[in-house]
Amino acid sequence: GVYVSRRICDNPVHLIVTSRTDETESRLRIRRAFGDLSSDAMVRFELSALSKSAVVELCRETRLDPDDVHKASGGNAFFVNELIRSPDGSLPSSIRDAVMARADRLPAEGRKTLELVSVFPRRAEVEHILQLGPPEFENGLESCLDAGLLVTDGASTFFTHELAREAVRSTISPLRQRSLNAAIFARLSEVGDQPLSRLLHHAREAGDVAAVADLAPRAARAAARLGSWPEASTYFDLAIETIGATADVDMLEEAAFASYLGSGQGHAALYQERALSLIDRSKEPVRYGEALRKKGRYLWFRSEFSEAIAAAKEAVEVLSDHVGPELALAHSTVSQLYMARFFFHDVRAPAETAIA
């Protein structure tokens, strides 16, 4: 390269050279080839990642979410283009092949390290990587960094693009993925002081039903305390799916409320109906009446208007001998549902009763 470039300056010739800058070996080759050249003999272009606005423009004629595309691709022009060409949301085989072509050049310990890191959803702490693998994993990590497949901030290592991580993870057999997740879960549990959501992810991917049954309700309640209702709803769904018929009234009502606030009321009425079936009306009339009132609320948002009003009126009937805030709320709910249904002539009476 140096020999040719020094002798074409006086000739109508352009030498165009492309090279990756995220690989250590490529950077060394560039320095060796052009380090001694005068700047007058060379023009160098560093291609930066596509900006969010550029991705928005490229996605304009598609149904893809530009923010999701930019986040997954990191602005890599090749990845963005391939995602646009495959708008069904699946990982394009062209991206998988491009990533794995580089991964296949790694030494054995590098490939194993790369696979382990790919099972971590975001970042993998270097200390965990080194503890989870044999001593040669340190060399394996170095080879991944040199190849530009991973980057590090010193404490953690991660893929340059989420699509690259998914490409590597997709080549690991389901059994090996479960094994890796089980090892990560054990390590994180041993270290302690980990977010419940992180532990839950690896427990679920490892197929550890007992751990999921323990962690999912706790993660859901933690999310609810923070007001993160979509997350809370997702975790309650997982908890009830895992626990099954043994889910108690408290969990079902908590799940119903989270679903009501966080996920378009999808399962709210179903969970509330299950909770209602577990309450003994004769022994707990106030709780039964409250459950009926909530059911009315949730049925309304399922567009079952008549059933919603009927449930709220039944709540009033159940609570009629138990004067207190629960009865007032039941009357108020009837009034509000009448108003929402445009039954304006029926709104006033239950409202005044609630106030009284």
Side-chain angles (χ1 to χ4, degrees), residues 175-189:
L175 285 177
R176 177 158 169 74
Q177 285 193 46
R178 287 180 63 140
S179 175
L180 290 173
N181 275 290
I184 294 170
F185 176 68
R187 167 67 183 172
L188 296 179
S189 299

Side-chain angles (χ1 to χ4, degrees), residues 288-290 292-293 310-320 327 330:
Y288 190 86
E290 263 287 271
L292 273 171
R293 181 187 66 80
K313 291 174 72 174
E314 186 181 352
V316 170
E317 178 187 340
V318 171
L319 294 167
S320 59
L327 178 58

Side-chain angles (χ1 to χ4, degrees), residues 105-353:
R105 295 197 293 268
L106 293 171
E109 65 271 17
R111 179 63 180 269
K112 290 180 180 179
T113 303
L114 194 69
E115 290 180 350
L116 177 59
V117 175
S118 76
V119 178
F120 285 83
R122 296 177 184 84
R123 294 169 174 253
E125 293 87 341
V126 173
E127 63 172 309
H128 296 334
I129 296 298
L130 298 182
Q131 285 293 325
L132 288 166
E136 59 266 23
F137 263 36
E138 185 169 358
N139 294 331
L141 181 56
E142 287 294 336
S143 66
C144 293
L145 296 172
D146 289 343
L149 287 164
L150 296 178
V151 292
T152 183
D153 58 10
S156 302
T157 186
F158 45 94
F159 281 80
T160 51
H161 311 289
E162 172 61 18
L163 286 173
R165 185 190 74 83
E166 181 57 31
V168 173
R169 193 186 66 83
S170 69
T171 65
I172 309 172
S173 72
L175 285 177
R176 177 158 169 74
Q177 285 193 46
R178 287 180 63 140
S179 175
L180 290 173
N181 275 290
I184 294 170
F185 176 68
R187 167 67 183 172
L188 296 179
S189 299
E190 178 186 348
V191 171
D193 195 27
Q194 297 293 317
L196 290 170
S197 58
R198 188 182 196 191
L199 292 171
L200 178 58
H201 168 81
H202 291 292
R204 187 182 186 188
E205 293 297 312
D208 190 335
V209 175
V212 172
D214 172 58
L215 292 166
R218 292 164 55 194
R221 287 166 182 142
R225 284 194 295 271
L226 295 173
S228 181
W229 295 109
E231 186 178 12
S233 178
T234 297
Y235 291 147
F236 272 125
D237 285 346
L238 176 58
I240 293 173
E241 177 187 338
T242 304
I243 295 170
T246 60
D248 60 22
V249 174
D250 290 335
M251 182 182 295
L252 289 166
E253 289 205 308
E254 288 176 282
F257 188 63
S259 181
Y260 172 67
L261 292 180
S263 62
Q265 302 83 41
H267 294 148
L270 291 175
Y271 289 152
Q272 191 62 36
E273 287 169 352
R274 281 182 60 181
L276 193 61
S277 70
L278 298 176
I279 302 172
D280 188 329
R281 176 175 176 172
S282 62
K283 294 181 179 179
E284 297 182 279
V286 174
R287 187 172 192 182
Y288 190 86
E290 263 287 271
L292 273 171
R293 181 187 66 80
K294 294 173 184 176
K295 177 185 173 181
R297 279 281 187 196
Y298 303 151
L299 285 172
W300 181 270
F301 284 96
R302 207 165 69 179
S303 299
E304 297 181 24
F305 307 123
S306 299
E307 294 83 352
I309 293 173
K313 291 174 72 174
E314 186 181 352
V316 170
E317 178 187 340
V318 171
L319 294 167
S320 59
D321 294 332
H322 304 275
V323 178
E326 294 83 7
L327 178 58
L329 276 172
H331 281 296
S332 174
T333 299
V334 172
S335 176
Q336 291 171 33
L337 294 181
Y338 276 149
M339 182 174 63
R341 193 60 173 152
F342 306 113
F343 294 166
F344 298 125
H345 56 286
D346 294 320
V347 170
R348 185 170 181 173
E352 289 180 339
T353 304

